[in-house]
Amino acid sequence: MSLKPRNLTEQLVETLGLRIVSGDYPVGDRLPSEQYFGEEFDVSRPILREVTKVLMAKGLVESRSRVGTTVRARENWSMLDPDVLRWTIQSLPEQDFIDSLFDTRMVYEPGAAALAARNASEEDLVRIRSAYEAMEEADTTSDLMDPDLEFHQAIVDATQNPFLAHIGRTLYNALKYSIELTSRHPHTHDLSLPRHKAVCDAILKRDSAGAARTMQILLEESRRDFVHVAGIDETDHQ
Amino acid sequence: MSLKPRNLTEQLVETLGLRIVSGDYPVGDRLPSEQYFGEEFDVSRPILREVTKVLMAKGLVESRSRVGTTVRARENWSMLDPDVLRWTIQSLPEQDFIDSLFDTRMVYEPGAAALAARNASEEDLVRIRSAYEAMEEADTTSDLMDPDLEFHQAIVDATQNPFLAHIGRTLYNALKYSIELTSRHPHTHDLSLPRHKAVCDAILKRDSAGAARTMQILLEESRRDFVHVAGIDETDHQ
DNA sequence: CTTACTCATATTGTATGACCAGATGACGCA
DNA sequence: TGCGTCATCTGGTCATACAATATGAGTAAG
């Protein structure tokens, strides 16, 4: 996934972005000059300049004319940028990432579900139900992932709010990438399907309070599934 | 604010980004070639290429080799990117933007406040209280804005969650920019200060349920203040 | 010895021109 | 009409050059 660098610039963005997020170049420090990087990677300066511009666009660095390019403080990084997120996953301990991710989901997804119950169009409702039905038909936990994410995405899209929809899209992609990266699918609870159904039904009935409540329960359980997997993994290593 | 294009690339990013977000180049359409833009703006190709890379990094366009650069679907845009947000504000009807923004805040800020009540460090608590005290000392509504935003920022930072902190930072900056752009400060309600105090106290007492509840009330009121201003403005124009 | 100035250097900003390779679409041929 | 060929367009990459200024070392003045 996303490991198909189509050109030199993307390759270098990948390399340098990961280095920065990993802390190889500490916050506040100046990056090596364009000329240096040009020699290290054997690419021309225009390429390096394109790379720098991309990293600037993602908030990782800032460039001052005739001075150099410095790493910006973490709070300026575009944490929800797909690339930054991916680099974060690759360089952070997995559990920390999962914790932050689920904290975020639990903060905003119940409210998003409530809003979706109010704002969803007929097409949105169909999409949500379809996603749920696809979950019912999944055989293995890995088959379950895509419809599951589609279910959640359909809900946040149904809020009709571009910010919420975007946040959801980004987080779910990150979650998916994280699962694929570790090849460890969460151990799905038996109650998972009924609880998704509860959320689905609440939204279809446009019961926003119920949507929020059931979504919260769903997320708590989903989080436990992840913790469970992580726990198994740790004991395996001992 | 942010109207200080330091170099050609940033100028052009500003121009083209705004054009795209405004819909001058429809979604799915191909942008004019690099050569064309080079002639329209009288800049060299490397500059145009840097601009394109930046717009790609923000999710606005995608570039396929030997084919062209096309505008991506809106759901791929990095809606929380400061630049994209600014262009959105400039091209969207203001009320739509405010609505979306407050919907988002109301979805995630009560939960963030609750999390902050649990996770805040001692420094965070001091910062939150200081921000509140600065609000008390403000004389005019425009003096109130900065401490107000700092108050909310301090709270989301106190969650210790990089995603939530980043979302907050971005949205508050957008809100600030929107206010400054229209020069219309919200008509602050008399109960605004006590209600901020309620949130502050709840977090200081580490009462997460109380923090969520008081924050929700605060936001509902704050939203009304904005609607009020917008209403006044409309009647003025008639 | 301290301060102020000068200047070479380093570094980013910009432009030009060139070549490559692949996607595209028009054209001509069967 | 249908197919294959090919000129053209477009982005990808490179080499090179010059501009402009922040920086810091070195120098001169006090």
Side-chain angles (χ1 to χ4, degrees):
Chain A
M1 174 182 182
S2 294
L3 300 177
K4 31 176 166 67
R6 298 196 308 266
N7 54 39
L8 272 179
T9 304
E10 288 188 18
Q11 277 178 243
L12 275 191
V13 166
E14 196 67 24
T15 302
L16 294 186
L18 188 53
R19 280 191 191 179
I20 292 171
V21 173
S22 303
D24 291 355
Y25 303 116
V27 167
D29 273 25
R30 265 179 42 189
L31 256 54
S33 69
E34 292 173 352
Q35 187 187 346
Y36 171 87
F37 274 138
E39 290 168 5
E40 173 177 355
F41 299 111
D42 196 33
V43 295
S44 65
R45 250 192 87 206
I47 300 294
L48 255 309
R49 292 190 52 74
E50 290 175 11
V51 171
T52 305
K53 281 294 188 298
V54 171
L55 296 177
M56 287 173 64
K58 295 177 187 303
L60 295 184
V61 303
E62 66 186 335
S63 167
R64 281 190 306 160
S65 184
R66 289 163 283 284
V67 175
T69 305
T70 59
V71 179
R72 299 181 74 189
R74 273 194 132 79
E75 57 253 35
N76 295 306
W77 297 359
S78 297
M79 287 308 299
L80 293 182
D81 177 274
D83 291 326
V84 176
L85 216 33
R86 183 156 34 78
W87 298 327
T88 303
I89 297 173
Q90 290 176 23
S91 61
L92 214 71
E94 189 208 358
Q95 196 55 50
D96 289 356
F97 173 78
I98 295 289
D99 281 343
S100 297
L101 188 64
F102 270 93
D103 275 346
T104 306
R105 290 187 66 183
M106 293 187 67
V107 159
Y108 101 108
E109 233 170 313
L115 196 58
R118 281 198 293 274
N119 292 352
S121 68
E122 291 303 317
E123 294 78 28
D124 288 325
L125 296 181
V126 170
R127 186 179 160 206
I128 292 170
R129 187 165 50 193
S130 300
Y132 169 71
E133 287 164 359
M135 288 184 67
E136 279 186 333
E137 291 167 12
D139 295 324
T140 69
T141 51
S142 62
D143 288 343
L144 195 62
M145 182 173 66
D146 281 339
D148 193 349
L149 294 179
E150 161 67 9
F151 179 77
H152 289 275
Q153 184 64 55
I155 290 173
V156 294
D157 283 346
T159 62
Q160 314 290 352
N161 183 300
F163 304 129
L164 292 175
H166 178 258
I167 293 170
R169 190 174 308 273
T170 310
L171 294 183
Y172 303 143
N173 277 337
L175 187 58
K176 179 176 181 176
Y177 176 72
S178 176
I179 291 173
E180 286 174 345
L181 189 71
T182 60
S183 298
R184 292 196 279 97
H185 286 264
H187 169 268
T188 308
H189 196 278
D190 291 337
L191 291 177
S192 178
L193 220 46
R195 284 182 174 160
H196 276 79
K197 181 161 174 45
V199 174
C200 183
D201 288 344
I203 294 177
L204 290 180
K205 283 187 296 188
R206 299 200 175 275
D207 169 15
S208 57
R213 194 175 56 248
T214 52
M215 176 63 89
Q216 188 180 348
I217 296 170
L218 175 60
L219 286 173
E220 284 167 359
E221 169 202 285
S222 177
R223 167 172 234 160
R224 276 199 303 274
D225 292 342
F226 263 92
V227 173
H228 186 212
V229 171
I232 287 177
D233 184 66
E234 275 183 26
T235 55
D236 280 350
H237 283 308
Q238 286 174 359
Chain B
M1 176 180 181
S2 295
L3 299 178
K4 33 176 166 62
R6 298 198 306 266
N7 54 41
L8 273 180
T9 304
E10 288 187 19
Q11 278 179 244
L12 275 191
V13 166
E14 196 66 24
T15 302
L16 293 187
L18 188 53
R19 281 192 190 178
I20 292 172
V21 173
S22 303
D24 291 355
Y25 303 116
V27 166
D29 272 26
R30 269 179 38 190
L31 256 55
S33 69
E34 291 175 350
Q35 186 187 347
Y36 171 86
F37 274 138
E39 290 169 5
E40 174 177 355
F41 298 110
D42 196 34
V43 295
S44 65
R45 246 190 93 202
I47 299 296
L48 256 307
R49 290 190 55 74
E50 290 176 10
V51 171
T52 305
K53 282 291 187 298
V54 171
L55 296 177
M56 287 174 64
K58 295 180 186 301
L60 296 185
V61 303
E62 67 186 336
S63 163
R64 281 188 308 162
S65 183
R66 292 163 281 282
V67 175
T69 304
T70 58
V71 178
R72 298 181 75 190
R74 273 194 132 79
E75 56 254 35
N76 295 305
W77 297 0
S78 297
M79 287 308 299
L80 293 181
D81 178 274
D83 291 326
V84 177
L85 217 34
R86 183 157 33 80
W87 298 326
T88 302
I89 297 172
Q90 291 177 20
S91 61
L92 215 69
E94 188 208 358
Q95 196 54 50
D96 289 357
F97 172 77
I98 296 288
D99 281 343
S100 297
L101 187 65
F102 269 94
D103 275 346
T104 306
R105 291 187 66 182
M106 292 188 68
V107 159
Y108 102 109
E109 231 169 315
L115 195 59
R118 282 199 292 277
N119 293 352
S121 68
E122 289 305 316
E123 293 77 28
D124 288 325
L125 296 182
V126 170
R127 187 177 158 208
I128 292 170
R129 187 166 50 195
S130 301
Y132 169 72
E133 287 165 358
M135 287 183 70
E136 279 186 331
E137 290 167 11
D139 294 323
T140 68
T141 52
S142 63
D143 287 343
L144 195 61
M145 182 172 66
D146 279 340
D148 193 348
L149 293 178
E150 161 68 9
F151 179 76
H152 288 275
Q153 184 64 55
I155 290 174
V156 294
D157 282 346
T159 62
Q160 314 291 350
N161 183 300
F163 303 129
L164 293 175
H166 178 257
I167 293 170
R169 190 173 310 273
T170 309
L171 294 184
Y172 304 144
N173 277 336
L175 187 59
K176 179 176 180 178
Y177 176 72
S178 176
I179 292 173
E180 286 174 345
L181 189 70
T182 60
S183 298
R184 292 199 277 99
H185 287 264
H187 170 269
T188 309
H189 195 277
D190 291 338
L191 291 176
S192 178
L193 219 46
R195 286 184 173 158
H196 276 80
K197 181 161 173 46
V199 174
C200 183
D201 288 345
I203 293 178
L204 291 180
K205 283 188 295 188
R206 298 200 176 276
D207 169 15
S208 58
R213 193 175 55 248
T214 51
M215 177 63 88
Q216 189 182 346
I217 295 170
L218 176 60
L219 287 172
E220 284 167 359
E221 170 202 284
S222 178
R223 167 172 234 160
R224 275 200 301 275
D225 291 343
F226 264 93
V227 173
H228 185 212
V229 171
I232 287 176
D233 185 64
E234 273 183 27
T235 55
D236 279 351
H237 283 308
Q238 286 172 359

